[in-house]
Amino acid sequence: MSENGDDLEQTLVLAAAAADSLQYEDAAEESHNEELPNKPDESEFYSEDKEEPLQKKKVNEEANNSPNYYNHVNNSHSVKKRNHEETDNEPQTSDYSHSHVVATHYNLLEEKGLQERYKSRIIYLRNFHNWIKSMLINQYITKIKEHKKQHNPPIRVHDMCCGKGGDLSKWKKGNITYLICSDIAEVSLEHCRARYDTMKHHARRERGGGHNMFSLEVIAGDCTKVRLREKYSDPSMKLDLVSCQFAFHYSFESLPQAENMLRNASECLQPGGYFIGTIPDSNEIVARARKSKSNTFGNKVLEVELDFDPNDPPLFGAKYNFKLDGVVNCPEFLVHFPTFVKLAKKFGLKLVRKEKFLEFFDKMKHEGRQLLSNMRALEMYPPNENATLLGDEEDYIHAKEFIERQDQNGGPVKIGTLSKSEWETSSLYLTFAFEKVKNTWNADGTPCFDI
Ligand SMILES: C[S@@+](CC[C@H](N)C(=O)[O-])C[C@H]1O[C@@H](n2cnc3c(N)ncnc32)[C@H](O)[C@@H]1O
């Protein structure tokens, strides 16, 4: 048995803990899964115009200024005023968005050492999410390599909203050639650069030359507002993979921001390349709020407060606040998935996979069993003699019951699991993958994607 218990049993215990959250889905699907109605003139937004940034800017500004903007986008959802129009103490400029709040929040986040991190109440949740990212990244790098049919093919990646570079080691393991890291938070990017330098230093010592380390380019900018390609050292760069982990939802503050982020994700991807990521599942959020019959829900480690009516969520700007382990996060926005898919199509991105974390875990658990253990992604129950559980007894009832059932069958007496509170948090998320499709050209020089 591994340090964290037998891996197959870990799976079963997680599934048991998830049963509760799965029931939320049905209620949410009904009213939150509607299609995005066509806007009067989509072409203004969706054209891949290269020469008209000013005109586009004007269109976007008008969109931002219009209190009735959501009327154009969606007749069936509530006409909600933009968030900045509702609060007196926020800037009233035409291009105000929460981006600066997000940047400040992440810039001020302290870099915690390993020791400090291991003291966290949600360390297993963090490790589990890291495992999900590792498996997802590895899955698509493998697909790209298979497609290239070359020994050690060059692989170029954009880690969009990379934060402090928490995924750098995953890129190294994937043996990629080139990495662009972008983020709005400059302090985080400095950490990312420093982390890369340290890794490169170690790689050089290990291998006597550091030839196996990819090259890094770092770009500071708001992915929802800036055209990143114009900042690349080589704007003609063709990428194989764009990864956006736990961040795409910031773009759903408004339609222009979501579109800009999607254009950034798509425009340098070559056909056959992938756009992958992880986001909160809007169905889960809406369903849990409805179930709680209020605008808030949560548990011992999580507190979510919606800034909109869960019975009538707007397509964009559906803001909520997220508090995890007592730490307030910056405002986030619901990603209405059918809208995401529809917008992505306009940028040549075809949805190939969408999986809740539980589904993803179930598919990947055998392949990733060793990594689950290495990354300490699950907590051992019951704990070893000198160890204590991170949650209280109530949080492990599912594990206790599982063990009692196993005991009767002479099964293992130690298992790996997540506490109920952590699992209720993790099951709020999903993974997605889009593939960039080939395009033909319209007479006016704009690309035409057949999806
Ligand atoms: C939850 S962190 C995830 C970081 C990293 N992807 C990871 O998985 O560890 C979200 C990141 O998104 C970045 N971010 C949020 N909004 C952004 C925007 N509009 N443009 C660029 N980066 C943004 C934040 O600065 C932060 O680093």
Side-chain angles (χ1 to χ4, degrees):
M1 196 191 300
S2 70
E3 196 198 343
N4 279 346
D6 182 276
D7 294 307
L8 181 63
E9 305 313 328
Q10 291 169 0
T11 306
L12 297 170
V13 176
L14 257 189
D20 245 12
S21 76
L22 286 179
Q23 293 164 8
Y24 295 116
E25 176 77 340
D26 305 339
E29 284 280 341
E30 283 168 26
S31 57
H32 202 63
N33 247 359
E34 295 150 21
E35 283 283 287
L36 171 70
N38 288 333
K39 291 184 285 141
D41 186 5
E42 290 187 340
S43 61
E44 277 177 315
F45 286 98
Y46 298 138
S47 66
E48 290 264 295
D49 60 335
K50 299 169 206 79
E51 309 302 335
E52 299 171 320
L54 281 178
Q55 189 192 330
K56 186 142 187 163
K57 187 164 176 281
K58 188 166 175 290
V59 172
N60 289 350
E61 276 172 6
E62 279 166 12
N64 280 335
N65 283 331
S66 165
N68 289 329
Y69 183 54
Y70 297 115
N71 256 347
H72 300 315
V73 182
N74 175 16
N75 299 323
S76 66
H77 283 69
S78 67
V79 181
K80 188 178 189 302
K81 282 179 156 194
R82 285 180 55 76
N83 297 313
H84 68 276
E85 289 158 347
E86 295 169 333
T87 35
D88 291 330
N89 54 358
E90 286 177 350
Q92 304 284 307
T93 58
S94 61
D95 68 346
Y96 174 76
S97 77
H98 284 82
S99 301
H100 73 286
V101 180
V102 174
T104 309
H105 172 84
Y106 282 103
N107 274 330
L108 291 176
L109 272 191
E110 276 174 59
E111 175 76 339
K112 292 204 171 117
L114 266 187
Q115 286 287 2
E116 195 60 29
R117 254 184 272 164
Y118 275 113
K119 279 192 222 149
S120 161
R121 164 68 186 88
I122 52 168
I123 181 63
Y124 295 103
L125 174 73
R126 290 192 194 285
N127 291 350
F128 183 68
H129 285 185
N130 219 3
W131 177 85
I132 297 258
K133 287 196 291 178
S134 292
M135 296 307 291
L136 183 69
I137 285 172
N138 185 42
Q139 190 180 23
Y140 284 89
I141 294 233
T142 304
K143 277 185 204 290
I144 290 162
K145 284 182 182 163
E146 281 167 5
H147 185 72
K148 291 203 172 197
K149 294 191 182 107
Q150 233 180 297
H151 180 63
N152 275 343
I155 295 181
R156 295 179 195 89
V157 177
H158 178 183
D159 189 345
M160 193 157 66
C161 307
C162 64
K164 293 175 183 166
D167 293 340
L168 285 174
S169 58
K170 301 173 187 71
W171 303 124
K172 181 167 180 280
K173 201 170 151 204
N175 207 15
I176 67 164
T177 327
Y178 197 86
L179 180 68
I180 298 175
C181 274
S182 65
D183 202 283
I184 196 171
E186 297 194 16
V187 178
S188 299
L189 285 175
E190 280 166 25
H191 284 289
C192 176
R193 164 68 72 185
R195 220 178 245 193
Y196 169 81
D197 288 344
T198 307
M199 277 173 66
K200 190 165 179 171
H201 180 71
H202 286 304
R204 203 172 275 151
R205 283 182 30 192
E206 276 163 25
R207 296 171 210 268
H211 298 302
N212 272 15
M213 194 66 189
F214 55 84
S215 307
L216 177 71
E217 178 176 348
V218 167
I219 294 175
D222 184 340
C223 300
T224 72
K225 293 194 178 147
V226 172
R227 192 168 195 170
L228 293 178
R229 181 159 72 94
E230 289 167 1
K231 295 187 162 212
Y232 290 179
S233 58
D234 173 8
S236 70
M237 169 107 58
K238 286 278 163 237
L239 298 168
D240 299 288
L241 183 66
V242 176
S243 166
C244 184
Q245 304 299 335
F246 298 105
F248 182 77
H249 47 289
Y250 291 111
S251 75
F252 258 60
E253 181 169 6
S254 68
L255 173 63
Q257 285 176 273
E259 286 185 317
N260 197 73
M261 189 111 161
L262 276 167
R263 181 171 64 172
N264 280 327
S266 159
E267 73 177 338
C268 292
L269 265 182
Q270 51 187 340
Y274 294 99
F275 170 44
I276 59 172
T278 40
I279 49 168
D281 181 345
S282 59
N283 279 337
E284 279 290 336
I285 293 174
V286 168
R288 290 192 201 186
R290 284 182 191 169
K291 194 171 183 220
S292 78
K293 299 206 172 3
S294 77
N295 277 25
T296 57
F297 64 87
N299 57 38
K300 291 164 204 154
V301 301
L302 170 75
E303 208 179 295
V304 181
E305 186 184 355
L306 310 193
D307 236 19
F308 57 89
D309 177 358
N311 294 311
D312 195 11
L315 279 184
F316 297 95
K319 188 170 82 157
Y320 58 91
N321 295 299
F322 205 90
K323 198 166 156 188
L324 192 56
D325 197 21
V327 179
V328 182
N329 213 329
C330 40
E332 303 187 358
F333 300 90
L334 278 192
V335 175
H336 181 245
F337 210 84
T339 303
F340 182 17
V341 174
K342 197 159 185 176
L343 290 178
K345 262 188 199 176
K346 305 278 178 183
F347 294 93
L349 296 168
K350 183 175 87 177
L351 182 70
V352 288
R353 190 145 288 180
K354 172 201 174 200
E355 279 159 337
K356 288 164 169 288
F357 273 16
L358 174 63
E359 295 167 295
F360 185 84
F361 174 74
D362 266 344
K363 277 206 185 124
M364 306 304 281
K365 64 197 174 192
H366 291 301
E367 196 183 322
R369 58 189 292 166
Q370 187 57 50
L371 198 58
L372 262 179
S373 174
N374 295 349
M375 293 176 91
R376 301 183 63 189
L378 296 171
E379 186 174 14
M380 190 193 283
Y381 185 90
N384 280 338
E385 230 173 76
N386 301 328
T388 44
L389 290 169
L390 288 184
D392 52 36
E393 275 297 318
E394 223 186 20
D395 253 330
Y396 301 90
I397 289 174
H398 59 286
K400 195 166 175 245
E401 288 175 354
F402 180 83
I403 285 180
E404 281 163 6
R405 283 197 301 275
Q406 290 298 299
D407 251 355
Q408 288 162 7
N409 304 330
V413 288
K414 275 201 191 288
I415 54 165
T417 188
L418 282 183
S419 66
K420 189 163 184 281
S421 307
E422 284 173 289
W423 178 245
E424 279 174 3
T425 308
S426 189
S427 55
L428 271 181
Y429 290 87
L430 59 84
T431 63
F432 65 78
F434 291 86
E435 185 178 347
K436 179 77 182 279
V437 301
K438 281 203 181 103
N439 70 284
T440 52
W441 297 96
N442 291 320
D444 62 0
T446 56
C448 173
F449 300 104
D450 185 20
I451 300 181

